[in-house]
Amino acid sequence: MDQKGKSLIWVIVLVLVVAGLIYWKGQSNEGGMNTPATEKVEIPNNVLKLGVIMPFTGEAAVYGENELHGVQIAVDEINKNGGVDGAQIQLVVEDGKCNPEGGAAAGNKLMNIDQVMFIIGGSCSGETLGFTPLAQEKMVLSISPSATSPSITDAGAFVFRTAPSDALAGAIAADYAYNEMAARSAAIIYETTDYAQNLEKTFKARFTSLGGEVTVDEGFATGDKDFTAQVLKVKNKNPGVVYVVPQSPASAVLVVKQLKANGITAKLLSTEVTASDAVLTENATDLEGVVAIEPYYDQGSEKAAVFLAAYKAKAGKDPEFPFFAAGAYSDVYLIAEAIEQVGYDSTKVADYLTGLRNWTGALGTISFDDNGDVMTAYAVKSAVGGKYTQVKVVTP
């Protein structure tokens, strides 16, 4: 074949290749299985259904009320400013009752009936762990503002939280009891809920590893009002510190009140449950001298101050638990931002949040680790004269 014939063949081959590429490109832009991976999934019906699971009955309802205000403020702001990719957020709110059964029932309704793909909650660890297995199965993403059980760390790739694990809080409480309170023996009175039992375990493990001894380790059921048996055991052992770990403020006040009424003068240490200024105002005499440990929250930062002002305007009062309220508010913005960036796709939203570093909002600056957990500092606060005074900030 002469040179001219060879050139003609190469021209024909080139034409066929170009034609094939044009055809392939046209097919790949038609959607279906050939839709480019970078194409954003649109929000169905231009309405973003956002599920909420929080307790609205029982003693733990104080958390649900506190956090729902934060959620609603964020939703109102986002909707007023055009929504999420033009879609308005619609809340679907369910009572998780602060227990696994309530959480499971609420999650089942939201996921199977309401068809939500994103959930704020739960507030309590038990109700959160009640619905996360189904959420994992259905690839529904959730962010909790206040569930702190270490078990949530391993709950799955679609589970996030803006409250730190009890694995940190219990250890910090033990360090403070041993090193700052100089206690060498401790009594623990805890509620038999997932949240409180995990704090009991981490405190006990850390305190004994430091050289201390836990001489009383007593649980009580949710709803109990009489703690005579637990208090008498504490009185007989006369420990250096009593670590009170309730699920709700009401239980905390009752336990502390009965300890003092029985002449127990040991130092008293508790959790974020008792760290509320509102709770202290209502129970100043009973809680006098209690040291509470809670996640550190800089209420004076610019974004925090704006949120807290908005909260007071909506609720007519300051939040009882500012860190959790700000967390719920921030959780809505985190989901909204992620969807705007990567589309209505829970897998991509999960990847987006996992890679998020130094995100700044009303809660402060946060980053998620590969397990959906956040790291934060803790504030040690002491109840003196009807007010909480910050003793120190501890960074793990």
Side-chain angles (χ1 to χ4, degrees), residues 64-114:
E65 177 189 352
N66 181 76
E67 293 168 2
L68 186 58
H69 281 311
V71 169
Q72 190 65 66
I73 292 167
V75 170
D76 290 345
E77 290 175 356
I78 292 170
N79 284 344
K80 184 178 179 181
N81 289 303
V84 182
D85 271 349
Q88 293 286 287
I89 300 176
Q90 176 187 324
L91 292 179
V92 187
V93 181
E94 295 295 327
D95 184 0
K97 305 183 189 302
C98 197
N99 62 52
E101 296 77 18
N108 181 65
K109 178 183 179 296
L110 288 176
M111 289 179 260
N112 288 323
I113 297 176
D114 300 302

Side-chain angles (χ1 to χ4, degrees), residues 259-299:
L259 285 168
K260 290 185 174 182
N262 281 274
I264 293 171
T265 58
K267 297 181 176 71
L268 299 177
L269 183 63
S270 192
T271 71
E272 63 261 52
V273 168
T274 59
S276 163
D277 289 331
V279 173
L280 179 59
T281 298
E282 294 173 2
N283 304 278
T285 301
D286 293 329
L287 295 180
E288 178 72 15
V290 171
V291 174
I293 295 174
E294 67 172 356
Y296 173 71
Y297 181 43
D298 182 6
Q299 298 184 37

Side-chain angles (χ1 to χ4, degrees), residues 14 18 23 51-52 75 92 95 98 110 123 125-126 130 138 147 170 191 202 215 275 290 306 316 345 353 365 384:
L14 182 61
V18 171
Y23 175 79
V52 175
V75 170
V92 187
D95 184 0
C98 197
L110 288 176
S123 294
S125 296
K138 290 184 169 293
E191 193 163 344
T202 55
T215 56
V290 171
V306 170
D345 183 319
L353 294 177
T365 300
V384 180

